[in-house]
Amino acid sequence: ACSHRLWPEIENTVMEQVAMAKLGVGECGAGWQLFAEDGEMKMYRREEEMNGLVVDPLKAVHVVKGITGYELCHYFFSPQYRYDWETTLEHMVVVETISEDTIVFQQTHKRIWPASQRDAVFWSHMRKLSDDQDTEGPGLWAVVNKSTELPNYPANAGKCVRVYLTVCLLCQTLVNPPKNGGPVTREDISCKITYCSVVNPGGWAPASVLRAVYKREYPKFLKRFTAYVINQTKDKPITF
Ligand SMILES: O=S(=O)(CCO)c1ccc(-c2ccc(C3CCCC3)c([C@@H]3C[C@@H]3c3ccccn3)c2)cc1
């Protein structure tokens, strides 16, 4: 994988995205605005436009009990589960499997009225990161998705408007060993999630429409995805 043409970009993007994900939303003066909250889940956005297009960066933080960071990243990264949890997905193609932890996808998303239908072409990379604090712990796992150009999937060639996205799912497993020294069970683990995304919608769509879509779709997506992983793993051995 290190020899692949995308490798340098993947390496740089992962480092940059993980560093950004680790930054707190700080004092809200830094421009992050809380726009959705549900229990442990908090969703922030910054209102940003690029030549008239809404490209609001999104940062969500969440803590989920009973699953590990590896498990969350595995179900987010692996194509075979995506239709189960990604409700806005109409079609997905694995264009290239660069290695077991790096895949290139083409996805068509269901049309969200009144915007025209979108598609995305992106590489996706999953990796374990050393947790600076405790090296031997379960550590940090991340999946980074970033749009890329593919000659065989030219942008805006068919009915879809091409979106440009950069997404980072950063997960830290927290283990609270049982007092009695017994084996660690799912009651003793939780996962701290940071999900960052910047989606440039490609073609024009009304700012009010896009912001309404983001406000509705992102909380739904993160709640549905985490519930899916909890359900998929509840009767399985823990994978760190
Ligand atoms: O985390 S991922 O990599 C998971 C892999 O699937 C990912 C997340 C989000 C998108 C995405 C692509 C297009 C659009 C819009 C833009 C104009 C009209 C459609 C949206 C809007 C925000 C809404 C949305 C939010 C969350 C989930 C799905 N829909 C989101 C794509 C990939």
Side-chain angles (χ1 to χ4, degrees):
C2 302
S3 56
H4 193 273
R5 67 181 173 80
L6 284 172
W7 190 251
E9 178 188 333
I10 292 172
E11 196 60 26
N12 293 338
T13 309
V14 168
M15 291 307 138
E16 161 207 297
Q17 287 298 310
V18 167
M20 278 171 40
K22 284 180 176 177
L23 294 177
V25 283
E27 60 297 333
C28 278
W32 289 109
Q33 175 192 109
L34 180 67
F35 77 89
E37 202 166 353
D38 183 322
E40 292 293 319
M41 183 180 78
K42 293 179 174 56
M43 285 213 157
Y44 302 84
R45 72 172 171 207
R46 278 207 315 263
E47 298 212 350
E48 283 180 18
E49 305 201 359
M50 254 168 64
N51 48 58
L53 286 184
V54 164
V55 291
D56 298 358
L58 177 119
K59 177 175 273 200
V61 290
H62 198 5
V63 180
V64 177
K65 292 190 188 324
I67 51 178
T68 66
Y70 168 80
E71 290 169 336
L72 261 171
C73 287
H74 171 70
Y75 284 98
F76 185 75
F77 172 76
S78 309
Q80 64 266 34
Y81 310 110
R82 196 157 297 170
Y83 286 110
D84 297 346
W85 54 265
E86 176 66 287
T87 54
T88 68
L89 192 61
E90 181 174 277
H91 192 239
M92 172 189 70
V93 174
V94 171
V95 173
E96 187 182 355
T97 301
I98 295 173
S99 64
E100 62 178 10
D101 61 11
T102 308
I103 298 176
V104 181
F105 292 98
Q106 189 267 338
Q107 295 191 165
T108 308
H109 285 255
K110 290 171 185 160
R111 180 160 182 252
I112 299 181
W113 186 88
S116 42
Q117 190 167 29
R118 259 66 182 180
D119 77 341
V121 170
F122 57 93
W123 52 257
S124 184
H125 177 67
M126 175 170 168
R127 150 170 345 171
K128 180 168 188 178
L129 302 148
S130 64
D131 188 355
D132 336 27
Q133 281 76 28
D134 66 347
T135 44
E136 73 287 342
L140 287 166
W141 279 89
V143 176
V144 176
N145 295 344
K146 184 175 182 181
S147 289
T148 188
E149 306 282 316
L150 282 181
N152 293 355
Y153 293 86
N156 310 316
K159 64 183 177 183
C160 289
V161 172
R162 178 65 50 86
V163 301
Y164 297 93
L165 59 87
T166 304
V167 166
C168 177
L169 176 70
L170 179 67
C171 300
Q172 181 175 24
T173 305
L174 308 168
V175 180
N176 190 4
K179 304 284 173 292
N180 61 16
V184 168
T185 70
R186 288 197 180 274
E187 277 70 49
D188 310 317
I189 60 172
S190 60
C191 183
K192 188 171 175 294
I193 305 167
T194 305
Y195 173 85
C196 300
S197 94
V198 179
V199 175
N200 178 325
W204 187 80
S208 56
V209 165
L210 276 180
R211 289 195 167 118
V213 166
Y214 290 3
K215 193 171 170 71
R216 187 184 69 234
E217 293 293 336
Y218 274 115
K220 193 166 86 177
F221 149 72
L222 197 55
K223 280 178 68 178
R224 179 184 173 91
F225 173 63
T226 50
Y228 173 77
V229 177
I230 289 167
N231 193 43
Q232 287 293 311
T233 55
K234 67 183 189 303
D235 303 324
K236 294 188 178 81
I238 304 172
T239 320
F240 289 99

